[in-house]
Amino acid sequence: MFKSFKQYLTELKCAGTIDAELSLLLEAVASLSKDINDKVRHGELVGVLGTAGTDNIQGEQQKKLDVISNEIFVNGVQWTGSIAGMASEEMDHCLPTPQQFQRGQYLIMFDPLDGSSNIDINAPIGTIFSITRAPATVDEVTDESFLNKGREQVAAGYIMYSPQTILTLTVGEGVDMFTLNNNTGEYLQTRSKVTIAPQTQEFAINMSNQRHWEAPVQRYVGELLAGKTGPIGKDFNMRWVAAMVAEVHRVLCRGGIFMYPKDNRDPSKPGKLRLMYEANPMAFLIEQAGGVATNGHENILDIQPEKLHQRVAVFLGAKEEVERVTAYHKN
Ligand code: F6P
C-alpha cells in the first residue's frame, strides 16, 4: 500500500516538521505539476511544441512549453496565501504576490520547464522548485529579497516528466519520491530516504565543450576517461540526458557524478546553470541524500547570491568524486 502525498504532508504537519502554509504550498506545486504533465503528455495534440517567438532575460529562445508551464506555475501558487512572492527562470524580475491574494511567509523560486531542448524530441524534462522564508521586515518583496544562500531553503524538489512522472522532495529530513498514478491523478510515495553511494563509476558531462574547460576539469575528466589504467584505477561509464532534472534523478537513483563546469567562452557566465532555480534546489536534495554539490571551490549551498539569474558551475553527486574534482580546483 503506497502512501499518498496528501497523507505524507499531513504527517509532516502533525509532526511539526512543516507548517500549514508550507504544506498547502507543496500541495499546490504537486497539483499544478499535473497540469504541466498533461500538456507534456499530449504535446503536438494540444499545440504546445515549438518555439514561442520570445527570448527570456538570459537571451535564450523560449519554447511554447516554457511559457505555458510558467503561467501554470504562477497561477497554481499565487492564490495559496503561503507566499510573499515568486521568482522564475522565465521572468525578468520577481513577482510579489498580487494584492488580491493573501501574502504568506514563504518565497518560491522555480524553473517551470527544465531541459527545454528535450521538449520537441519527447525526451525527459522537468520542473524544479526551491522554497525559502520571506523576509519578515519588508512590505513588498523585491529581487533582493530572494538573494539568500541555498542553506536557507526550507524545501526543494523537482517533478520529472518521463515514462513515469515523479515528484522528488526534501523538507530537510531526507529525500522522498512520489510517482503519479495517471489513472487516479494521485502522487504516491514510492521511495523514502534516498541515499547516494559515495563511490561511483558513472559520470555525466557535455563532452562537446571539452576544449573550453579549465585545467582542473580537463585533468579530472582525462582521469575518468583513462579508466582502470589511469590514476583513479577504475573504468567509468558516461551518460548525458541534457536535462538537469533527469541527470539528478539518475544520480539519486543509482549514483554518479553530474558536472556542468565553467566555460571559458564567455567570462560573464561562470557556468550555464542557474543558482537560484537549478543549482540550489538540486544541491539541497543531493546533500540530503548524502552526496556533495560544489561549484569547484565551495559548497553550492554556501554561495551568497548576487543576482536573481546568476549562473554557476556545478559538480554534484557521489561524495568521493565531487570531492576529488573540487580538490583539483583548489590545487
Ligand atoms: O537549464 C539548462 C539545461 O537544459 C539543463 O537542464 C541541462 O543539464 C543543460 O542545460 C543541458 O545543456 P547542453 O545544452 O549543453 O546539453
Side-chain angles (χ1 to χ4, degrees):
M1 190 62 181
F2 298 109
K3 186 187 292 181
S4 72
F5 189 55
K6 218 176 181 140
Q7 182 182 344
Y8 170 89
L9 291 178
T10 305
E11 286 176 6
L12 286 181
K13 210 165 47 176
C14 293
T17 311
I18 60 172
D19 62 20
E21 275 186 31
L22 184 54
S23 172
L24 181 58
L25 181 56
L26 292 170
E27 215 176 315
V29 170
S31 171
L32 71 87
S33 75
K34 295 177 206 168
D35 292 339
I36 299 178
N37 182 56
D38 190 53
K39 304 278 183 227
V40 170
R41 283 164 63 86
H42 288 92
E44 197 121 43
L45 298 177
V46 290
V48 297
L49 303 190
T51 53
T54 47
D55 286 353
N56 65 17
I57 191 170
Q58 293 135 105
E60 295 161 339
Q61 212 179 52
Q62 289 177 305
K63 299 278 174 117
K64 279 189 200 161
L65 209 49
D66 286 324
V67 176
I68 293 167
S69 305
N70 193 65
E71 210 176 292
I72 292 176
F73 205 111
V74 171
N75 291 328
V77 292
Q78 65 181 357
W79 59 270
T80 54
S82 304
I83 52 169
M86 61 183 106
S88 161
E89 186 180 305
E90 301 300 336
M91 303 193 294
D92 294 4
H93 296 285
C94 77
L95 178 66
T97 298
Q99 292 280 317
Q100 70 265 37
F101 301 111
Q102 196 185 313
R103 179 188 152 137
Q105 55 173 320
Y106 294 102
L107 297 176
I108 189 161
M109 288 155 274
F110 54 92
D111 177 356
L113 221 280
D114 171 64
S116 303
S117 72
N118 281 355
I119 294 173
D120 294 341
I121 59 162
N122 194 22
I125 44 183
T127 298
I128 312 173
F129 61 94
S130 156
I131 300 171
T132 61
R133 286 188 189 285
T137 48
V138 293
D139 287 340
E140 182 158 294
V141 297
T142 62
D143 287 357
E144 282 65 43
S145 315
F146 289 79
L147 304 182
N148 306 303
K149 289 184 181 174
R151 286 245 173 259
E152 289 174 36
Q153 292 171 104
V154 294
Y158 61 79
I159 298 97
M160 178 175 169
Y161 314 107
S162 207
Q164 297 138 34
T165 300
I166 294 185
L167 188 162
T168 299
L169 174 71
T170 183
V171 293
E173 300 212 332
V175 176
D176 298 316
M177 294 181 177
F178 305 82
T179 304
L180 181 65
N181 178 333
N182 282 302
N183 298 328
T184 61
E186 213 178 8
Y187 277 107
L188 299 169
Q189 186 168 7
T190 39
R191 301 276 304 262
S192 62
K193 307 294 168 250
V194 172
T195 55
I196 303 169
Q199 283 104 15
T200 183
Q201 289 181 241
E202 192 163 71
F203 72 97
I205 193 164
N206 185 342
M207 283 297 298
S208 71
N209 295 327
Q210 181 171 19
R211 67 194 183 284
H212 304 296
W213 299 337
E214 296 180 315
V217 181
Q218 298 282 5
R219 173 185 170 192
Y220 177 62
V221 177
E223 290 181 3
L224 296 180
L225 295 176
K228 240 189 204 129
T229 54
I232 302 181
K234 52 184 179 178
D235 290 335
F236 281 79
N237 195 7
M238 200 199 86
R239 288 286 181 269
W240 190 250
V241 189
M244 191 189 193
V245 161
E247 316 281 5
V248 169
H249 190 70
R250 186 186 59 249
V251 168
L252 287 171
C253 290
R254 72 165 186 223
I257 175 171
F258 164 79
M259 299 171 271
Y260 214 117
K262 184 169 180 248
D263 199 314
N264 282 335
R265 278 174 293 187
D266 182 351
S268 72
K269 287 184 189 164
K272 178 178 186 191
L273 303 175
R274 286 67 166 190
L275 178 59
M276 311 306 286
Y277 317 109
E278 296 172 313
N280 268 342
M282 294 312 201
F284 191 20
L285 288 165
I286 292 291
E287 280 201 10
Q288 283 294 313
V292 179
T294 78
N295 65 353
H297 300 277
E298 62 180 321
N299 280 4
I300 290 195
L301 297 181
D302 294 325
I303 298 173
Q304 176 59 56
E306 285 162 9
K307 50 185 185 184
L308 207 47
H309 296 286
Q310 183 170 335
R311 294 177 191 256
V312 69
V314 172
F315 302 87
L316 62 77
K319 187 170 186 288
E320 199 170 275
E321 292 308 320
V322 177
E323 286 178 348
R324 192 192 311 275
V325 66
T326 304
Y328 290 179
H329 281 80
K330 289 185 177 144
N331 291 343

